[in-house]
């Protein structure tokens, strides 16, 4: 197995190619010993064959490993011995037509054109997991949901009010981003990154730039890195605040929901103060950032962060200290820590189960200080834990933003990017607000993208929501869903 | 209860007095671009076209144009142009009722005129929209959602977003319209009673935006649905959306219509 540090690049040829069986055992053993499968995908070799790559992250040692296999048309599925692989294997099957033999539930995840030239499936028209019995009934929801949210399809198998199983079927948001990337980077690339999951613009653009910078051997200035970090934390503050407000809204706890609705916007406006766009578009480019935070702007941001966080604190305390909220959130929608670990969940959803997993600590970006303390974790993985983790992270993020604004280092904003060197590969990991964003990039003989893999945190976490619903009342679904708040477009790409 | 009231007292009343007033926007906000075509070096230059990610800017038989329906407001063109032809105003009032009104060529912007009498009378005081995201990235959706917060308080204008198309007076589309959402979008529109309105929110919904021409998308809703209101941006600022909706309903005074 080849091992490297996240900010370095390597040659694709350095990755050992094992037999399918050795590959399977090596990945499963590493995961048993604590590695995480951050990406698992198929990509073309120079010779035009299709090769499988597994990228493993060792959080404790802050290093990455990779291994590969040439599967032909099929290979023994990893999922039965390594559940973290289950969704990746379905993706590989759907995109490349390579069959993981003995995969327990092999179906499309995005419903796009088939590689084998067979008929394109209609979106989410597939065989669903069903439960039989005279009193069992099925509830189907979506693609168009009640609120202003993205489309997806949910099938509940219910016995009375109790959900026996929920199956989530996505793909409505599939725009085909990854297919557009080979041959790049070009003038469109950064905009695909900015909109891959539009509420995670900072997470994806930074992951993209970090990968390119690793390949090019460019190290952005400490000032550029600090501005990126400020914007990433503002994105987290906005979304965590919004999520807590959304939980309050779904319970009918209106004071907190209306406070948080406003406060979320105040954080977005801080991002707009930095770059003119509320979602951070136009801020991050390979080599650094486009916009500076001058002393006066830093003072204004500092003032706004302090007052806004104070108001968030007030709004969230009202909610989380009320007996009504406690009663509703505690022990509802719980996820066992073993499930979170075995499925490879990331972000607040994993941390709420007690899993210590945060890339800001494990894979810090060059010249970015660690946030104070340790990653926020919860207990029991229920709705309350997911809310509490967010509330704690709001404090940590705000403290980090304040610190960065007070001691902004010097340096140029944007370094020129050279043409990318040929035949290099890099992996980047960014802890965005939903969890880990992972980009894997490889260049061809001319230094253009040979292939490009994007893994949004939602890719890992959708199945976590499925597990949470088992044995839960169907009326708890909206709250459980909000507590994960996953991205459809980030999954569908 | 007392704590709720105390917190409410501390956090104050926050609804903005739009359309009469609005809080200051970021000094870096890129609103309606200002073009000075007389400075443009002409088709031989092509600098802006070469850097534009979405094919929004260029020259044709009538000279320089910038299509707000495709523009991402990224600023690449203004940064690259050697002649300083493009600059940015902070004017968020950019929505238009006709697709062609989004194509800027210098000169004063075309006004935003209201719906014809029948629909204006029906919807001016009460408009219920069903939102459909068809490949939207959640930014346009978020800036629609934010209109329902206390800051913008959309409800006071009689505008609301509803859960069922059967309760709606039309749809607000976001996203480039993916192949997988195309039918669901058409069926949702069909499920709203007539007469209805269609609003395209954001560059993707208007033209496909950065996703224009991709095999998995349909270049937005414009070719697919009878769009009544085009709201440019990536995403549009909430004030751009609110201004557009009120303008469509004939609820802005002449000065406010822009
Ligand atoms: S600001 Fe608009 S017109 Fe200019 S380069 Fe960007 S997308 Fe193109």
């Amino acid at each position: 197995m080849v091992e490297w540090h996240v900010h370095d690049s390597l040659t694709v040829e350095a990755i050992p190619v094992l037999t399918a069986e050795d590959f399977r055992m090596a990945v499963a053993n590493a995961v048993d010993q604590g590695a995480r499968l951050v990406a698992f995908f198929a990509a073309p070799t120079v010779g035009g064959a299709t090769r499988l790559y597994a990228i493993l992250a060792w959080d404790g040692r802050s290093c990455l490993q990779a291994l590969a296999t040439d599967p032909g048309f099929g290979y023994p599925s990893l999922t039965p011995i390594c559940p973290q692989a289950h969704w990746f294997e379905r993706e590989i099957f759907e995109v490349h037509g390579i069959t993981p033999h003995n995969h327990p539930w092999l179906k499309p995840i995005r419903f796009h054109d088939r590689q084998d030239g067979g008929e394109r499936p209609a979106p989410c028209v597939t065989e669903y997991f069903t439960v039989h019995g005279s009193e069992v009934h099925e509830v189907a929801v979506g693609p168009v949901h009640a609120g202003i949210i993205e489309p997806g399809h949910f099938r509940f198998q219910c016995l009375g009010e109790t959900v026996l199983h929920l199956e989530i079927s996505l793909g409505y948001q599939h725009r085909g981003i990854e297919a557009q990337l080979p041959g790049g980077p070009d003038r469109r690339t950064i905009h695909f990154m900015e909109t891959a999951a539009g509420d995670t613009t900072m997470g994806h653009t930074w992951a993209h730039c970090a990968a390119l910078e690793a390949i090019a051997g460019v190290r952005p200035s400490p000032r550029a890195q600090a501005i990126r970090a400020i914007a990433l934390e503002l994105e987290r503050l906005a979304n965590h605040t919004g999520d807590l407000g959304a939980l309050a809204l779904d319970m009918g706890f209106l004071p907190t929901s209306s406070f948080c609705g406003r406060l979320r916007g105040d954080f977005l406006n801080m991002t707009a103060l930095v770059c003119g766009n509320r979602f951070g578009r136009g801020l991050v480019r390979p080599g650094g950032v486009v916009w500076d935070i001058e002393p006066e702007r830093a003072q204004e941001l500092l003032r706004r962060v302090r007052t806004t966080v104070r108001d968030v604190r007030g709004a969230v305390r009202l909610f989380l200290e009320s007996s009504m909220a406690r009663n509703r959130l505690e022990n509802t929608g719980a996820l066992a820590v073993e499930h979170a670990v075995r499925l490879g969940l990331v972000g607040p959803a994993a941390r709420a189960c007690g899993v210590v997993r945060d890339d800001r600590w494990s894979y810090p970006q060059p010249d970015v200080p660690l946030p104070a303390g340790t990653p926020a974790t919860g207990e029991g993985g229920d709705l309350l834990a997911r809310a509490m983790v967010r509330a704690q992270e709001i404090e940590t993020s705000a403290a980090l933003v304040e610190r960065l604004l007070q001691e902004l280092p010097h340096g140029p904003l944007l370094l020129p990017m050279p043409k990318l060197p040929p035949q290099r590969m890099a992996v980047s990991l960014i802890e965005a607000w939903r969890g880990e964003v992972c980009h894997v990039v490889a260049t061809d003989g001319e230094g253009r993208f040979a292939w490009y893999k994007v893994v949004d945190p939602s890719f890992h976490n959708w199945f976590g929501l499925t597990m949470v619903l088992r044995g839960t009342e169907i009326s708890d679904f909206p709250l459980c869903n909000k507590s994960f708040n996953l991205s459809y477009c980030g999954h569908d790409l | 209860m007392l704590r709720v009231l105390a917190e409410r007292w501390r956090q104050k009343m926050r609804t903005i007095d739009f359309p009469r007033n609005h809080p200051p926007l970021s000094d870096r906000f890129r609103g309606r671009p200002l073009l000075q075509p007389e400075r443009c070096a002409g088709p031989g230059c092509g600098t802006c076209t070469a850097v534009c990610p979405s094919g929004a800017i260029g020259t044709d038989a009538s000279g320089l144009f910038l299509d707000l329906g495709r523009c991402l407001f990224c600023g690449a063109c203004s940064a690259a142009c050697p002649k300083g032809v493009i600059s940015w105003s902070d004017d968020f009032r950019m929505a238009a009722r006709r697709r062609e009104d989004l194509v800027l060529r210098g000169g004063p912007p075309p006004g935003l005129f209201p719906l014809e009498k029948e629909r204006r009378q029906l919807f001016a005081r009460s408009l219920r929209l069903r939102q459909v995201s068809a490949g939207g990235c959640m930014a346009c959706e978020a800036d629609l959602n934010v209109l329902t917060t206390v800051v913008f308080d959309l409800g006071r204008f009689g505008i609301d977003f509803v859960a069922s198309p059967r309760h709606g007076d039309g749809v607000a589309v976001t996203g480039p319209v993916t192949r997988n959402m195309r039918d669901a979008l058409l069926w949702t529109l069909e499920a709203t009673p007539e007469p209805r309105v269609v609003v395209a929110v954001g560059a993707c919904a208007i033209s496909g935006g950065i996703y224009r021409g991709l095999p998995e998308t349909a270049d937005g809703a414009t070719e697919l649905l009878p769009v009544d209101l085009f709201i440019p941006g990536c995403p549009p600022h909430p004030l751009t959306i609110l201004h557009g909706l009120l303008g469509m309903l004939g609820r802005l005074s002449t000065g406010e219509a822009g």
Side-chain angles (χ1 to χ4, degrees), chain A residues 210-229:
Chain A
L212 265 56
E213 287 152 8
I215 289 180
V218 168
R219 185 169 172 153
S221 78
R223 188 174 190 86
Q225 291 288 80
I227 293 171
R228 288 176 175 182

Side-chain angles (χ1 to χ4, degrees), chain B residues 119-253:
Chain B
R119 286 189 295 167
R120 191 171 73 228
Q121 282 181 342
L122 264 175
F123 300 138
R125 284 153 175 278
S126 166
L127 179 70
R128 298 280 179 271
L129 291 172
R130 169 64 246 191
Q131 203 278 316
V132 181
S133 171
C137 75
M138 203 58 206
C140 287
E141 291 80 356
D143 272 348
L144 281 165
N145 236 332
V146 83
L147 294 177
T148 63
T149 64
V150 292
V151 179
F152 299 94
D153 192 14
L154 196 61
R156 83 196 135 115
F157 300 106
I159 309 174
D160 208 354
F161 293 102
V162 290
S164 166
R166 299 273 187 226
H167 303 155
D169 305 312
V171 298
V173 189
T174 54
V177 186
T178 53
R179 277 180 73 183
N180 283 350
M181 260 315 272
R182 189 175 180 276
D183 289 346
L185 170 65
L186 296 176
W187 293 334
T188 306
L189 183 71
E190 218 167 273
T192 59
E194 291 192 75
R196 52 169 90 105
V197 295
V198 178
V199 183
V201 182
C204 287
I206 297 172
S207 69
I210 190 72
Y211 297 99
R212 186 177 179 84
L214 265 54
E216 286 287 339
T217 61
D219 294 350
T222 303
E223 310 274 299
L224 226 49
L225 310 176
V227 177
D228 296 292
L229 179 65
F230 301 87
I231 306 179
C234 184
H237 193 278
L239 288 175
T240 307
I241 306 175
L242 186 53
H243 175 266
L245 290 173
L246 295 180
M248 175 181 74
L249 298 176
R251 297 195 46 176
L252 297 172
S253 58

Side-chain angles (χ1 to χ4, degrees), chain A residues 191, chain B residues 30 33 35 47-58 65-68 70-80 86 88 210:
Chain A
H191 301 280
Chain B
R30 291 176 292 285
L35 299 183
T47 312
C48 55
T49 313
V51 296
C52 178
S54 62
I57 194 165
F65 67 89
L66 195 164
D67 183 357
L68 290 181
R70 289 206 197 180
C71 181
L72 311 177
F73 297 79
C74 71
C77 53
S78 51
I86 310 125
W88 299 93
I210 190 72

